Amino acid sequence: MNIVPAPEPGFTLSAHISCAPSDINFKELKAWSIIKKEIDFGDGNFQNMNTQLSLDTFLQFNTPGIYILKQRLTGTTGCTTYFEDTLIIHEGIDT
């Protein structure tokens, strides 16, 4: 019997609290055996991928608010795992 582990989701943010406008680095942890990856950046932008590649990008948040960033991974066995984190953007001097 070959046991395939569930994909282990996760990402890091360069900050959890910041002021608008703010560039936040979003970096996924490497996950294996993925057939589908869905990311909700909490600001109305989504990314759906069928790739093993880890996303490492900067996201710009111009509007104050509380953003819930979510990641959903589906493994080769159909098992789906989730991860989420919160980002708080306060009103800045220029907003």
Side-chain angles (χ1 to χ4, degrees):
M1 175 184 275
N2 184 18
I3 298 175
V4 179
E8 190 171 331
F11 56 82
T12 60
L13 301 172
S14 58
H16 286 91
I17 300 173
S18 190
C19 290
S22 189
D23 288 328
I24 304 294
N25 180 242
F26 173 93
K27 185 174 184 175
E28 282 187 290
L29 305 177
K30 185 68 176 171
W32 303 99
S33 302
I34 298 170
I35 58 170
K36 185 175 182 183
K37 180 190 315 186
E38 301 167 67
I39 301 171
D40 176 351
F41 295 109
D43 62 354
N45 290 309
F46 297 86
Q47 190 156 34
N48 294 314
M49 299 172 278
N50 296 329
T51 180
Q52 297 280 346
L53 296 177
S54 294
L55 189 61
D56 185 355
T57 190
F58 280 90
L59 307 171
Q60 187 171 54
F61 293 87
N62 295 316
T63 305
I66 298 174
Y67 299 89
I68 308 297
L69 291 83
K70 301 174 185 175
Q71 179 192 52
R72 177 179 164 166
L73 304 178
T74 303
T76 55
T77 62
C79 181
T80 301
T81 55
Y82 304 89
F83 183 81
E84 68 178 47
D85 205 351
T86 303
L87 172 65
I88 299 171
I89 302 292
H90 293 284
E91 188 169 331
I93 259 179
D94 297 332
T95 57

